[in-house]
Amino acid sequence: MAEEAQVDYTLANPDTLTKYKTAAQISNKVLEDVKKLCTEGAKILEICQKGDKMLEDEVAKVYKGKKIVKGISHPCTVSPSTYVTPYTPLVSDNEEAQTTLKAQEAIKIQLGAQIDGFGTIACDTMFVGSQEVTGRAADLALATHYANELLLRMMMPPGMLATGSEEEKKKAQAQKPYSQTKITQLLEKLVKTYDCNLIENTTCWLFGRNEIEDKKKIILAPGEGVKGEGLAEVGEVWGVEMGVSTGSGKVKTLPNRATLHRRTNTTYSLKRQSSRQTLSEVQKKFGTFPFSLRQLDDERAGKVGIVECVRGGVVRQYEVIGSTDNEPVDRLLTTIAITKNGLQKLAGPPQPNLEMFKSDKKITDEEILKILEQPLAKPSSSKPKKNNKKKKSKSAKKAAAAAAKPAQGEEEESSEEEDSDDE
C-alpha cells in the first residue's frame, strides 16, 4: 500500500496521459461503430448491448498480462430525441425493451472506457438516416457544435497560448479567466442566434482516477440555488458537456425506470442479502464508474437488490430526464486534457461535416467570433514551427468564418489537439 500511495497519477506522469489516450481511442472507435448500428427501426436495447460488448472486446486488447484494472467507464446508452440524460432500457422491462429509433430523430450516444481508473467518456448526437439536415434540426446541430467549440476555448486558462514578448505573455496570463456566469452568458447569446436554448444545469466535471465527478464542476444555465465550483486549470482532465434544445431548455423527470447507477463513497450497513450481493458485484465489476442494471449477472435480482443500495446512499441513481416541452435535445460530451501546450480533445464527438446542416442563421457577435478564431493548442512540434503557426492561424479563422456564414463549411482541423508530448 505504501508503494501505491507514492505513484504520481497526475498528468505530470507521462504514463497517466498514455492511459487516458488509450481509453479515449477505445471510446472514439466504439462510438463510431455504434453509430453504424443506429438505423431506423433498430432497438435501443440491442444497440446498447452490442456497444457494451464492443467496449469489452476493445479493452481486452490493451495492457494484456498487466495487473491493471480496466473496463467500461460508462455503459453504452442511446437517448431518444427529447431525452436529456443517458438512456439504456432493461431486457426485463418488456415495453421499454421494444423502443426503436425513428427516422430523422436526434439521438444521443454516450459511452466510455477506462484504463487503470483513468476514464474517458464520449457523447455525440446523430440524426437517424439523415444525409442532409434542414430547418430546426439544422439550427439545433449548429448551435450545439459552435457552443461546444466556444465552451472549450473559454475553459482554457488565460494566456496559455499567448505569443509575443515576455511582457505581452505576462499581460495575457494576468487576464481574469471566464467566470461561470460569463461562460453561460456568452453560450446563451450564441445558441439564441439559432433560436435555441441551453439545457438547464448542464454540468462539466473535473475527472480524477476512478472518479468522473471530482471536486470541481462548471454548471451551464444553472437553476435557482444551483452553482458550480471552480474553473479548469493546467494539468487537469475534464468531461465537458454541452446540451442545447430547440425548446425552452427546461427539464423534467420522466416516468421511465432509472437503470443507470454509480457506486458512491458512502458506507452503510445493508440489511438484505440481495442488496449485499448486488453491491459486491457492482464494486467488483464497475468500481465507482456508472453501470446499467442490465450489465449485472442477474438483471431481475439486481433490480431488487439495488433498491436498498440507493436508499442507503451507497449507490447513486441517475433519473431519466427529458425536455419539459418535448422539444428535441442535442448533447455532446468531450473528455479533454489541459496541458502546458493547450487543450487536447481525448474522447468525444468527431469533427462534423458542417455542409450537411442547412441553416439560414449565422453568428454575428464579434466577441464570440473572436473567441472561436482562437486555436485550442500550440502547433505540433513535429512540423516546422513557423509554417505550422500560419496553418493554425488560418484554420482557426476558417472556423470562425464558417460560424459567421449561413452556408456552413469545414471547421477547424483536429490536428491541433493530437500532440502526444503535452504531458
Side-chain angles (χ1 to χ4, degrees), residues 239-410:
V240 181
E241 183 176 20
M242 176 52 60
V244 180
S245 174
T246 50
S248 66
K250 301 298 181 182
V251 300
K252 64 181 179 182
T253 301
L254 300 178
N256 308 66
R257 176 193 295 274
T259 66
L260 198 64
H261 297 76
R262 179 171 175 262
R263 176 75 167 95
T264 69
N265 294 320
T266 301
T267 55
Y268 176 78
S269 181
L270 298 170
K271 297 177 175 59
R272 295 176 178 272
Q273 176 66 16
S274 60
S275 305
R276 293 195 293 271
Q277 289 177 342
T278 298
L279 182 61
S280 177
E281 183 180 355
V282 167
Q283 291 174 314
K284 182 179 179 180
K285 283 187 173 181
F286 315 111
T288 55
F289 289 104
F291 64 93
S292 168
L293 294 178
R294 61 178 169 73
Q295 293 175 285
L296 300 176
D297 290 340
D298 187 332
E299 183 183 292
R300 291 183 181 275
K303 287 164 69 174
V304 176
I306 205 69
V307 175
E308 187 185 5
C309 294
V310 172
R311 190 181 298 132
V314 296
V315 169
R316 174 185 171 185
Q317 176 174 289
Y318 290 89
E319 302 294 341
V320 183
I321 305 296
S323 57
T324 56
D325 43 22
N326 295 318
E327 284 288 313
V329 172
D330 197 331
R331 279 183 63 249
L332 303 175
L333 198 157
T334 311
T335 303
I336 65 167
I338 303 175
T339 74
K340 62 183 180 181
N341 291 328
L343 182 151
Q344 291 190 52
K345 294 179 183 177
L346 298 176
Q351 173 62 33
N353 175 14
L354 297 177
E355 291 183 352
M356 73 178 287
F357 304 111
K358 307 298 181 182
S359 171
D360 59 358
K361 299 176 177 63
K362 62 180 180 179
I363 300 172
T364 57
D365 186 274
E366 290 299 325
E367 183 178 10
I368 291 174
L369 289 172
K370 186 176 180 180
I371 298 173
L372 286 173
E373 284 185 359
Q374 299 171 7
L376 289 173
K378 293 178 181 178
S380 171
S381 58
S382 62
K383 295 181 180 180
K385 203 168 186 180
K386 187 174 181 180
N387 293 339
N388 207 35
K389 270 186 181 179
K390 290 181 179 179
K391 183 175 180 181
K392 298 310 174 188
S393 177
K394 290 179 180 178
S395 184
K397 289 180 179 179
K398 197 174 182 181
K405 292 192 299 183
Q408 305 297 328
E410 294 180 357

Side-chain angles (χ1 to χ4, degrees), residues 114-133:
Q114 63 92 3
I115 303 294
D116 197 22
F118 300 109
T120 61
I121 301 176
C123 177
D124 196 9
T125 297
M126 65 172 285
F127 294 83
V128 179
S130 298
Q131 298 301 317
E132 182 176 281
V133 180

